[in-house]
């Protein structure tokens, strides 16, 4: 079982910055994709940013230019640097990991960390 531990959420004023970190642990060494999703009040969970083991990145249009994602394959960590935060970024942010092999796909989620952006 892969476990994901998030840290770094909190309360910040609009225009501020936060950095989220996620560390994976478990008997796995090749995590295909790691990243972040979020779920705001009354909204569905949505993709924020992901990065593959080859460091190919995918960011939601709403965060491009403001958020960046980095990954350390050796440490099995993924970080989300968030800048120019807006009230609409308020959400629970979930770390995400995908293990994929021929005929099998496993998705893992962290417990979530709250990010609140005040106006």
């Amino acid at each position: 079982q892969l476990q994901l531990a998030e840290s770094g959420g909190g309360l910040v004023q609009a225009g501020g910055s936060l950095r989220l970190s996620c560390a994976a642990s478990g008997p796995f060494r090749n995590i295909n994709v790691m990243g972040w999703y979020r779920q705001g009040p009354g909204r569905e969970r949505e993709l924020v940013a992901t990065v593959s083991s080859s460091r190919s990145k995918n960011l939601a249009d709403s965060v491009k230019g403001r958020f960046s994602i980095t990954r350390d394959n050796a440490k099995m960590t993924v970080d989300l640097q968030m800048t120019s935060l807006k009230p609409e970024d308020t959400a629970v942010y979930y770390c995400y990991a995908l293990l994929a092999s021929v005929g099998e796909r496993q998705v893992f989620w962290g417990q979530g960390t709250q990010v609140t952006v005040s106006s």
Side-chain angles (χ1 to χ4, degrees):
Q1 184 78 0
L2 186 70
Q3 294 184 327
L4 301 172
E6 302 125 329
S7 61
L11 173 65
V12 65
Q13 289 187 332
S17 300
L18 279 176
R19 187 177 185 87
L20 304 183
S21 296
C22 175
S25 60
F28 303 98
R29 286 297 175 262
N30 184 21
I31 303 173
N32 300 85
V33 179
M34 296 187 75
W36 296 89
Y37 281 66
R38 67 185 181 187
Q39 187 166 14
R43 302 182 67 175
E44 295 186 352
R45 192 172 296 190
E46 62 179 3
L47 179 145
V48 177
T50 60
V51 55
S52 72
S53 55
S54 62
R55 294 187 174 81
S56 175
K57 300 176 183 179
N58 181 32
L59 279 78
D61 288 343
S62 61
V63 306
K64 285 180 180 177
R66 301 188 298 122
F67 292 10
S68 62
I69 187 168
T70 56
R71 173 175 175 170
D72 186 323
N73 288 335
K75 295 180 180 179
M76 297 202 299
T77 60
V78 61
D79 290 351
L80 184 70
Q81 180 66 47
M82 305 184 291
T83 64
S84 301
L85 282 160
K86 304 175 181 180
E88 50 264 44
D89 294 318
T90 294
V92 178
Y93 284 70
Y94 296 91
C95 184
Y96 161 90
L98 169 67
L99 302 177
S101 59
V102 176
E104 186 173 8
R105 175 187 174 98
Q106 294 178 277
V107 173
F108 298 90
W109 296 98
Q111 292 189 330
T113 184
Q114 178 70 47
V115 171
T116 302
V117 184
S118 63
S119 58

